[in-house]
Amino acid sequence: MSSTTTTLANVQYEKRGAIAYVTVNRPKVLNALNTATWKDLRSAFEDARDDAAVRGVILTGAGDKAFIAGADIGELAHASAIDAERSSRYGQEVLDLVENLGKPVIAAINGFALGGGCETAMACTIRIAVEHAKFGQPEVKLGLLPGGGGTQRLPRLVGKGRALQLILSGETISAQEAYRIGLINEVVPAADLISRAEAILKMIAANAPIAIKQSLEAVNKGLDTSQSEGFALEASYFGLCAGTEDKKEGTSAFLEKRAPQFLGR
C-alpha cells in the first residue's frame, strides 16, 4: 500500500492507499480555525479531489480533546465587518468544496466540535464521534452568528426548530444528544474512531465510483430544489450511470454471481 505524508503549516495530509487523512494540527489551541488553517484545508481537499487514487477522506483533529473547537477568537476579535464577511465567504467556499468533493468525506470527531468545528463536520458526508465529543454553535455568545454555513446546514440536518434552539441558545450538547437529533451518524469508543471511519469508507469504495459521485450530487443538489425538480435530477443521473462501463460490469457480475470489478468508467 503506497503512502505519502504532507505536513502543511496547520494541517497534516496523508494518503494511504485509497484513503486520504486530513488532520487539523493545532492541538495547543484545540485545532481552532484561522485563515492559514482554512487555506491548508483547501489545499488538502483540492488534492484529494483531483487524485483519482483517493476514494474517500477522513477528517479529524490532532490530540484527544478537540476535533475543531471553533474559529480562532484572537484573529476574529480584530476583524472588521468587511474582513469578517470576507472570512465567512472563504470558509463557506472551503466547506462547499468538502461537501461537493465527489467522494465521501467522514468527519471523525474526536472531541470538541464547536462553532466552525461543528460547521466543518456538517459539511462532511458522514459524521462519527467519540463518546466525549461536544457539539454547539456558540457564536451568539460572542455577538455573532454562525458564519461557516451553520445557519443553512444545521436546519437541513436536524430541522428548523432544533437548529434555532442550538443557534439562539449557544448551548453545547453531548455526542449522545447530537446522535439523537440526527446531527451525527454514530457514537463510537475513542479507540475505534478511525478504524470505524476506515471501515465505512471501504464499504463505499467497494461500489462503483461514478455511481458514488452521482449519488452525492443528486442528494446535495436535490436538497436545494423542489422535490419534483429533484426527481428530474435523479432520473438524469440514473441515465448517466446506466451508460457507464461500471453499470455493465455491476449488472453482469450480479447475474454471474461474482464480485464486480469496477474501473470508474
Side-chain angles (χ1 to χ4, degrees):
M1 182 189 298
S2 62
S3 175
T4 62
T5 302
T6 305
T7 302
L8 303 168
N10 297 305
V11 167
Q12 182 167 311
Y13 178 52
E14 183 179 4
K15 291 187 281 189
R16 295 202 304 268
I19 299 177
Y21 299 78
V22 179
T23 305
V24 181
N25 192 21
R26 303 184 76 210
K28 290 182 180 177
V29 290
L30 300 180
N31 303 320
L33 295 166
N34 60 7
T35 302
T37 306
W38 279 119
K39 289 180 178 177
D40 285 353
L41 283 170
R42 171 170 242 160
S43 296
F45 276 97
E46 285 176 343
D47 183 90
R49 176 195 64 197
D50 297 339
D51 187 341
V54 171
R55 297 289 304 278
V57 182
I58 296 173
L59 173 62
T60 194
D64 57 5
K65 292 182 179 178
F67 172 68
I68 297 167
D72 189 316
I73 307 302
E75 183 178 84
L76 191 58
H78 302 290
S80 67
I82 293 172
D83 292 337
E85 182 176 354
R86 187 181 297 121
S87 174
S88 173
R89 290 298 295 158
Y90 189 80
Q92 289 169 355
E93 288 170 9
V94 175
L95 295 185
D96 184 67
L97 167 67
V98 172
E99 186 171 51
N100 296 291
L101 199 70
K103 304 171 183 183
V105 180
I106 297 185
I109 302 159
N110 55 315
F112 290 109
L114 305 175
C118 190
E119 290 171 311
T120 299
M122 287 191 286
C124 295
T125 316
I126 294 168
R127 288 156 291 284
I128 62 174
V130 298
E131 294 153 320
H132 66 270
K134 302 288 185 186
F135 299 82
Q137 298 290 163
E139 288 87 349
V140 291
K141 296 178 182 290
L142 301 173
L144 294 163
L145 56 75
T151 65
Q152 305 306 305
R153 287 194 178 93
L154 191 55
R156 285 168 166 81
L157 277 170
V158 305
K160 181 181 175 182
R162 285 180 173 135
L164 281 171
Q165 183 174 349
L166 284 168
I167 290 167
L168 299 181
S169 69
E171 178 187 7
T172 298
I173 62 172
S174 67
Q176 290 73 23
E177 177 66 4
Y179 173 74
R180 187 187 74 82
I181 66 175
L183 179 55
I184 61 175
N185 297 67
E186 297 181 15
V187 181
V188 300
D192 299 338
L193 181 65
I194 300 301
S195 61
R196 177 57 183 151
E198 290 170 338
I200 294 170
L201 285 183
K202 284 173 184 173
M203 277 192 284
I204 295 171
N207 302 315
I210 296 172
I212 295 298
K213 183 175 188 292
Q214 304 291 24
S215 295
L216 284 164
E217 283 196 29
V219 171
N220 288 341
K221 290 184 178 179
L223 282 171
D224 292 329
T225 67
S226 68
Q227 184 166 291
S228 61
E229 289 171 324
F231 285 152
L233 194 68
E234 179 181 88
S236 68
Y237 285 138
F238 189 79
L240 284 170
C241 286
T244 64
E245 291 180 31
D246 278 352
K247 174 260 183 181
K248 184 177 180 181
E249 167 63 12
T251 53
S252 297
F254 179 84
L255 294 171
E256 294 164 13
K257 296 182 172 56
R258 61 175 174 82
Q261 299 295 319
F262 294 119
L263 298 174
R265 297 199 295 263

